[in-house]
Amino acid sequence: MTPLRRKRTAAPNLAIEKSFASAGHRYVAGCDEVGRGALAGPVSVGIVVVDLDAPSPLRGVRDSKLLPPAEREALVPRIRRWSVASAVGHASAEEIDGLGLMSALRAAGSRAWASVLDTVTPDVVLLDGNHDWLSARSQGTLFGTDDGGPVTVGQLDTVGCTSPVQTRIKADLTCLSVAAASVLAKVERDALMVSLAADHPDFGWDVNKGYATESHRAAIDAAGPSRYHRRTWRLGSLERPDVARTESGG
């Protein structure tokens, strides 16, 4: 019996981005996040801005999850040259614990947004998913002090995205700017986790990149969580009665 061939998905393109030209928009930013479902490390947000007056093809780009590491890494300099502006922002495990996941994503996205603004102000942003966590909102946070008590932290060091945001489910599969943003964020976050693994070899971050593998959970059971773990989540394989099960994301 002949094995079934895996159907190759169509490459993302600029058709959606170009649809904004009719409204007078020239600079369209694609935005995507990585690290949402990890147990350790930051959430990271990539933004890639394209100029609709000078669009050009960029071959080989797919959603970062569909590409092997070597191909993702080779694409980074090409994406940087191709785009008008690009950036990646991060929010730490501590911020995820203190702010909550959605607000931490906004903080990471706002940092990337602030970097992009040094070059260009996008007219509109295409955001992967169905929820706008990127647009600017006023927010503070609570973190624990050394003695266990809460302390209020003022406004975050971020301005937030002030351009219109259009959410689109599976935009990383269809929109070239969003797929490119996912590649930049994935490569930068993976490199960060590999660098952290050198000082925390028990957790295997150079392989699992902080995600919830069986061996990662077992290592947390044995050694306890590090400062880079999201301590409000269920981390190990053992139930901890003092920690709520707030793990979320994909």
Side-chain angles (χ1 to χ4, degrees):
M1 181 178 178
T2 303
L4 293 175
R5 292 184 179 180
R6 179 176 295 178
K7 184 177 181 180
R8 185 173 177 82
T9 58
N13 55 54
L14 289 172
I16 301 300
E17 287 89 338
K18 290 178 180 179
S19 70
F20 291 101
S22 61
H25 299 317
R26 175 177 177 181
Y27 297 108
V28 176
C31 182
D32 200 7
E33 54 78 22
V34 299
R36 179 192 294 245
L39 302 181
V43 288
S44 303
V45 175
I47 298 178
V48 167
V49 185
V50 295
D51 181 356
L52 299 184
D53 283 358
S56 59
L58 181 62
R59 297 184 182 279
V61 175
R62 297 287 194 281
D63 170 28
S64 61
K65 297 185 290 296
L66 302 179
L67 295 171
E71 290 187 26
R72 289 196 297 259
E73 292 163 12
L75 282 168
V76 168
R78 295 176 56 204
I79 291 170
R80 298 285 192 189
R81 291 192 300 267
W82 172 76
S83 59
V84 177
S86 61
V88 178
H90 309 278
S92 68
E94 183 183 23
E95 289 176 306
I96 294 168
D97 287 338
L99 291 168
L101 182 59
M102 290 297 105
S103 291
L105 282 169
R106 186 176 306 117
S110 296
R111 287 160 187 155
W113 180 255
S115 182
V116 161
L117 292 182
D118 289 339
T119 302
V120 66
T121 300
D123 298 309
V124 65
V125 180
L126 265 171
L127 177 63
D128 183 54
N130 61 3
H131 175 65
D132 175 13
W133 43 259
L134 183 64
S135 293
R137 290 173 175 80
S138 176
Q139 59 184 17
T141 181
L142 293 174
F143 285 114
T145 61
D146 290 339
D147 60 5
V151 59
T152 301
V153 178
Q155 298 299 305
L156 292 172
D157 60 335
T158 54
V159 296
C161 174
T162 52
S163 294
V165 173
Q166 299 287 326
T167 60
R168 186 175 181 87
I169 295 173
K170 299 189 182 301
D172 51 0
L173 298 177
T174 58
C175 303
L176 186 54
S177 65
V178 178
S182 77
V183 169
L184 294 188
K186 175 68 173 169
V187 170
E188 192 163 312
R189 185 183 184 280
D190 280 2
L192 176 60
M193 296 309 297
V194 170
S195 70
L196 292 176
D199 293 327
H200 300 81
D202 292 343
F203 301 113
W205 292 338
D206 54 327
V207 177
N208 62 49
K209 307 303 188 291
Y211 285 91
T213 63
E214 184 177 348
S215 60
H216 189 186
R217 289 194 188 276
I220 298 169
D221 289 339
S226 73
R227 60 177 290 199
Y228 299 105
H229 281 100
R230 303 171 187 181
R231 292 171 178 257
T232 54
W233 293 29
R234 186 180 72 82
L235 296 174
S237 59
L238 306 176
E239 293 290 343
R240 294 171 57 196
D242 59 321
V243 175
R245 296 186 57 153
T246 57
E247 181 180 331
S248 178

